[in-house]
Amino acid sequence: MSPPQPLARITGTGRYLPDRVLTNADLERMVDTSDAWIRERTGIHERRIADDETDATVMGARAAEAALEKAGVRARELDAIIVTTATPDRFLPITSCEIQAAIGASRRCFAFDLQAACTGFLYALTMAEGQIAAGRAEKILIVSTEKMSTIVDWDDRATCILFGDGAGAVVVEPSANGEGILSSHHRSDGDLAELIRRQAGGARLPLTPERLRDREHMVQMAGPAVFKSAVRAMSRASLRVVRAAGWSAGEIDILVPHQANARIIESTARYARVPMERVFVNLHRYGNISSATIPVGLDEAVEDGRIRPGTNLLMTAFGAGLTWGAVAMRW
Ligand code: COA
């Protein structure tokens, strides 16, 4: 889709990662796995795990405060807060309102949670862009905060090795000089809903002692099927937004993809014709932090100078639903 006017740009980024590191060697003591298998099949070396007091709101608020400071925006100036999370602290109230209160945003601001699993951040970016283009908001905070350690089954070696905790945030504002979101493409496919799921705990299968015992409220995943869908979805979406932005493959300065598996990232980059030296990867340090992977990656890439004013940035993600998308942006 071509960009609405005015363009929406990211003016500040922030992240919060818990201090506690869980290494592959630690996991060897918990399930039947090995450091070598995890590194070779996923690319992950370690991940962060939040303690009991550090919930999605706490991590999200920390990331938000860092992003606001870098944008030079005060919390009470915000018009909207969008929070993406697969691990809300409570089913009600929504986590975005908890973060609104935690950072001291005003009541003039509207806050809502957006659920699109690991693709949530990119969907939120497009929702923020729409609000800005419609003239309904000028300062929007997006917070992606995930405490995945509370929803993975620590006895299931096929999933527990993949995920970690953390939060990323960005401030989105109108831009006047041609920088900002140039194109975006989002899709979903409910026919593939069973590939990644948490069966119990919602309205269809409320929690019972039996369902808790059988861990039906934990993440279940058909790994290899997700793998294939992910590569196809992210590479096609990437090619589309690059074309819509009017770029050639050589004009992509950096690709910040969802960090789920190093082999997924490499295949996606190959299909999207982006050489690996222009792909941002922090998966080895954090594992898959669901919707927080991209904003955490943006903050690190800005900090180490890989993203600068004028950088042509491509982002792509996929997740449960299935959902997927890509966004092309001039920084
Ligand atoms: N340690 C050791 N062996 C493991 C293991 C682990 N942690 N997890 C699975 N295995 C075993 C399997 O039991 C299987 O053994 P078998 O052949 O005897 O049955 C073998 O390794 C191969 O399993 P498979 O599932 O085919 O491996 P894979 O190469 O597809 O890798 C994933 C598994 C999960 C790493 C990979 O499929 C993947 O990353 N998928 C995408 C998941 C994803 O991104 N999800 C998040 C979406 S946002």
Side-chain angles (χ1 to χ4, degrees):
M1 239 175 278
S2 52
Q5 297 296 329
L7 297 188
R9 64 187 280 251
I10 291 175
T11 56
T13 58
R15 67 182 187 276
Y16 174 81
L17 280 314
D19 291 336
R20 185 179 157 213
V21 175
L22 185 75
T23 64
N24 293 346
D26 296 328
L27 282 166
E28 283 178 353
R29 290 187 281 277
M30 296 162 63
V31 286
D32 179 17
T33 190
S34 69
D35 175 46
W37 192 95
I38 301 173
R39 281 179 192 240
E40 191 198 310
R41 306 308 294 163
T42 72
I44 300 167
H45 300 182
E46 58 188 40
R47 64 291 290 144
R48 301 298 178 91
I49 304 292
D51 60 27
D52 290 347
E53 287 70 45
T54 308
D55 55 27
T57 300
V58 169
M59 292 192 289
R62 295 267 192 96
E65 280 159 359
L68 287 165
E69 193 181 329
K70 286 191 205 142
V73 170
R74 282 170 300 181
R76 60 177 180 276
E77 295 177 282
L78 288 170
D79 299 311
I81 300 173
I82 310 175
V83 168
T84 71
T85 183
T87 58
D89 285 326
R90 297 185 272 178
F91 286 126
L92 290 172
I94 53 177
T95 306
S96 47
C97 287
E98 301 219 53
I99 291 179
Q100 176 185 20
I103 63 175
S106 90
R107 265 188 306 180
R108 270 195 328 101
C109 156
F110 69 99
F112 66 96
D113 287 11
L114 184 158
Q115 223 312 20
C118 298
T119 321
F121 175 74
L122 292 188
Y123 276 39
L125 205 50
T126 298
M127 295 306 116
E129 178 194 26
Q131 289 295 311
I132 285 171
R136 297 210 171 97
E138 292 208 326
K139 294 184 191 305
I140 303 179
L141 174 70
I142 300 174
V143 184
S144 300
T145 180
E146 307 280 9
K147 194 168 178 180
M148 298 302 289
S149 60
T150 58
I151 62 166
V152 296
D153 181 348
W154 289 102
D155 286 338
D156 176 10
R157 67 176 184 172
T159 52
C160 75
I161 58 157
L162 297 173
F163 296 97
D165 299 337
V170 302
V171 176
V172 185
E173 297 182 76
S175 107
N177 302 318
E179 69 276 278
I181 296 173
L182 302 178
S183 64
S184 49
H185 174 79
H186 300 294
R187 290 287 184 271
S188 53
D189 183 355
D191 286 339
L192 300 177
E194 302 307 320
L195 293 186
I196 312 176
R197 63 189 191 186
R198 289 178 68 199
Q199 288 283 70
R204 185 178 301 166
L205 297 176
L207 285 180
T208 60
E210 293 72 30
R211 290 184 183 131
L212 278 170
R213 184 198 58 212
D214 295 341
R215 317 245 174 130
E216 287 182 43
H217 58 305
M218 299 298 188
V219 173
Q220 301 166 341
M221 190 173 65
V226 172
F227 190 110
K228 279 190 217 124
S229 299
V231 172
R232 199 178 316 121
M234 289 201 294
S235 48
R236 285 190 189 160
S238 296
L239 290 170
R240 262 182 106 126
V241 297
V242 167
R243 200 168 46 234
W247 297 343
S248 65
E251 287 175 293
I252 303 164
D253 295 316
I254 186 166
L255 164 62
V256 180
H258 176 47
Q259 312 278 315
N261 182 310
R263 292 179 296 135
I264 293 178
I265 294 174
E266 283 155 15
S267 301
T268 302
R270 195 164 50 246
Y271 284 117
R273 299 186 205 105
V274 184
M276 277 310 287
E277 59 270 20
R278 282 193 254 139
V279 181
F280 183 87
V281 180
N282 60 10
L283 170 84
H284 50 296
R285 289 183 278 128
Y286 304 138
N288 181 347
I289 334 171
S290 192
S291 69
T293 63
I294 292 182
V296 167
L298 294 180
D299 191 45
E300 292 192 331
V302 168
E303 204 166 86
D304 67 20
R306 290 186 71 183
I307 297 180
R308 297 182 296 275
T311 293
N312 286 341
L313 163 70
L314 171 64
M315 297 171 270
T316 185
F318 76 98
L322 292 186
T323 55
W324 65 93
V327 173
M329 172 184 275
R330 180 161 308 116
W331 199 264

